[in-house]
Amino acid sequence: MFNQNKILRVFQLISLLKKQPTKSIKFLSGVLGSTDRTIYRYFDLIKELGFDLQRDGFNRYYIVGDKDISDIEFTKEEASLLKELLLSSAKNSMLKDSLLRKIYLKSEISIQGNHILNAHLGKLVEILSNSIVNEQQVVLIKYHSANSQKISDRLVEPIGFTDNYTSLCAYEVETGENKFFNIERISEVNNTGVPQVHQDKHTIDKPDAFGFTEQNGEKFNVELKLSFRAYLLLKEEYPLVKSYIKENSKNNTYNLSIVVNNPKPITRFVLGLLDDVDVLGSQEYQTHLKSFIHSVLVNNHQDFGE
């Protein structure tokens, strides 16, 4: 039976072995914080799952790429189970091996493989997952805040993760607020071992596809027509918008229809690609966009006059 730590380490090991250069046992055990013996046990599991694990002339290991790997996708059932596996035990589920085999492939819930499989970030997720299960407070060491532009330690009570595991929802003790913390902006996590004492104040305000909750701004319905170039750039920068986009096969354009909790990200995107984006609605958002452009022009004119 696999607990969350073992599952994450297997994911990380597969990630490392799929990338060049080839890796030694000593290197793998050091990165994953495991023993050589444990790595060999994981090797046996990886082989059983069907991966072609090979060793070169220098006793370094690698996984040979699959020819048909681009044709496989997670089912919704598998994707939902994967989320649970990362937080708890998979027990005897028949989907467990299938999920491990397909971890690199696309899924409906947009789990970003390179993010969760990164060895450092994976360890952070492990610690945070344990603190959630054990209901303990943690300190986010040297958290880089995009809002305050400061780097500081944050004492929080972890509640859960966003669906793509890019952010942690947690109650911040100092401010008394429930916030989302970007995993990539956390330098280290210190599990204090202190029980959570503010659970009655824990709430999860689900963020939109751009990472903002209803507390972070003003809600708007946004409808855009995107060129192929704009579609690719938007999907690359904000992968979660994919499910809100429909293709117009007749003219090779794409329609985005989405509710945002804060207009800043989508407005910044629109203004950066004016030749590739048409704003179709809503009327409220069009009014907001015009007002924003006007204020920018007025401020720039004043600065220029000075």
Side-chain angles (χ1 to χ4, degrees), residues 137-138 140 143 145 147-148 154-160 168-181 196 198-205 213-217:
Q137 294 182 345
V138 301
L140 308 181
Y143 181 74
S145 173
N147 292 327
S148 65
R154 308 289 187 94
L155 177 63
V156 302
E157 296 183 351
I159 302 172
L168 168 76
C169 179
Y171 176 85
E172 187 175 38
V173 176
E174 181 179 359
T175 62
E177 297 178 356
N178 294 285
K179 298 181 178 181
F180 284 87
F181 299 91
Q196 297 181 0
H198 302 283
Q199 292 181 337
D200 59 321
K201 301 177 182 178
H202 291 187
T203 60
I204 297 181
D205 184 7
T213 67
E214 293 186 4
Q215 302 176 6
N216 296 139

Side-chain angles (χ1 to χ4, degrees), residues 17-32:
L17 292 170
K18 292 281 284 186
K19 299 176 182 178
Q20 293 295 326
T22 55
K23 313 294 190 304
S24 67
I25 295 294
K26 183 178 181 180
F27 174 83
L28 293 171
S29 61
V31 171
L32 298 182

Side-chain angles (χ1 to χ4, degrees), residues 43-300:
F43 280 178
D44 291 337
L45 172 61
I46 288 173
K47 291 176 182 177
E48 291 177 6
L49 294 174
F51 287 100
D52 187 3
L53 180 65
Q54 298 290 335
R55 182 177 62 181
D56 63 17
F58 300 96
N59 286 326
R60 295 174 179 172
Y61 292 83
Y62 62 98
I63 288 178
V64 178
D66 295 313
K67 294 181 180 179
D68 298 325
I69 200 166
S70 61
D71 298 328
I72 308 174
E73 292 187 357
F74 284 122
T75 66
K76 290 183 178 180
E77 292 77 12
E78 290 173 336
S80 296
L81 179 60
L82 177 57
K83 178 180 178 179
E84 297 175 9
L85 284 172
L86 294 173
L87 295 175
S88 60
S89 299
K91 298 185 178 180
N92 297 320
S93 172
M94 296 298 293
L95 293 175
K96 179 187 64 183
D97 288 350
S98 176
L99 282 168
L100 290 174
R101 179 67 179 85
K102 298 178 181 178
I103 187 60
Y104 266 95
L105 312 175
K106 296 178 289 183
S107 76
E108 293 296 325
I109 61 174
S110 301
I111 289 182
Q112 301 173 2
N114 288 337
H115 176 91
I116 193 65
L117 296 176
N118 177 282
H120 173 67
L121 298 181
K123 289 181 179 179
L124 298 185
V125 172
E126 285 185 29
I127 298 172
L128 293 169
S129 297
N130 284 329
S131 69
I132 292 172
V133 173
N134 297 320
E135 300 181 347
Q136 296 173 328
Q137 294 182 345
V138 301
V139 178
L140 308 181
I141 306 296
K142 294 182 179 180
Y143 181 74
H144 295 65
S145 173
N147 292 327
S148 65
Q149 301 294 315
K150 294 181 180 179
I151 301 175
S152 60
D153 297 345
R154 308 289 187 94
L155 177 63
V156 302
E157 296 183 351
I159 302 172
F161 297 96
T162 55
D163 285 344
N164 59 348
Y165 288 86
T166 57
S167 297
L168 168 76
C169 179
Y171 176 85
E172 187 175 38
V173 176
E174 181 179 359
T175 62
E177 297 178 356
N178 294 285
K179 298 181 178 181
F180 284 87
F181 299 91
N182 190 307
I183 300 295
E184 291 185 337
R185 296 176 187 160
I186 303 173
S187 299
E188 298 291 342
V189 176
N190 177 27
N191 192 332
T192 66
V194 177
Q196 297 181 0
V197 295
H198 302 283
Q199 292 181 337
D200 59 321
K201 301 177 182 178
H202 291 187
T203 60
I204 297 181
D205 184 7
K206 186 176 181 180
D208 61 21
F210 300 91
F212 286 89
T213 67
E214 293 186 4
Q215 302 176 6
N216 296 139
E218 186 177 358
K219 182 176 289 188
F220 285 97
N221 290 301
V222 178
E223 295 183 17
L224 306 178
K225 184 169 76 172
L226 311 171
S227 69
F228 181 66
R229 175 171 176 263
Y231 162 71
L232 291 178
L233 292 174
L234 182 62
K235 188 177 66 169
E236 180 179 319
E237 186 173 0
Y238 302 104
L240 295 183
V241 303
K242 182 179 179 181
S243 58
Y244 300 94
I245 298 177
K246 293 184 179 180
E247 180 181 3
N248 298 316
S249 55
K250 294 182 180 179
N251 54 14
N252 196 33
T253 60
Y254 298 80
N255 281 358
L256 170 69
S257 180
I258 190 172
V259 176
V260 299
N261 293 322
N262 189 309
K264 290 182 179 180
I266 196 66
T267 298
R268 183 174 64 248
F269 178 81
V270 170
L271 295 181
L273 292 166
L274 290 176
D275 293 335
D276 295 276
V277 178
D278 289 332
V279 180
L280 305 179
S282 63
Q283 183 62 49
E284 290 78 10
Y285 178 68
Q286 290 176 332
T287 301
H288 167 81
L289 183 61
K290 292 177 182 177
S291 175
F292 177 82
I293 294 174
H294 177 73
S295 65
V296 171
L297 292 176
V298 169
N299 290 335
N300 286 343

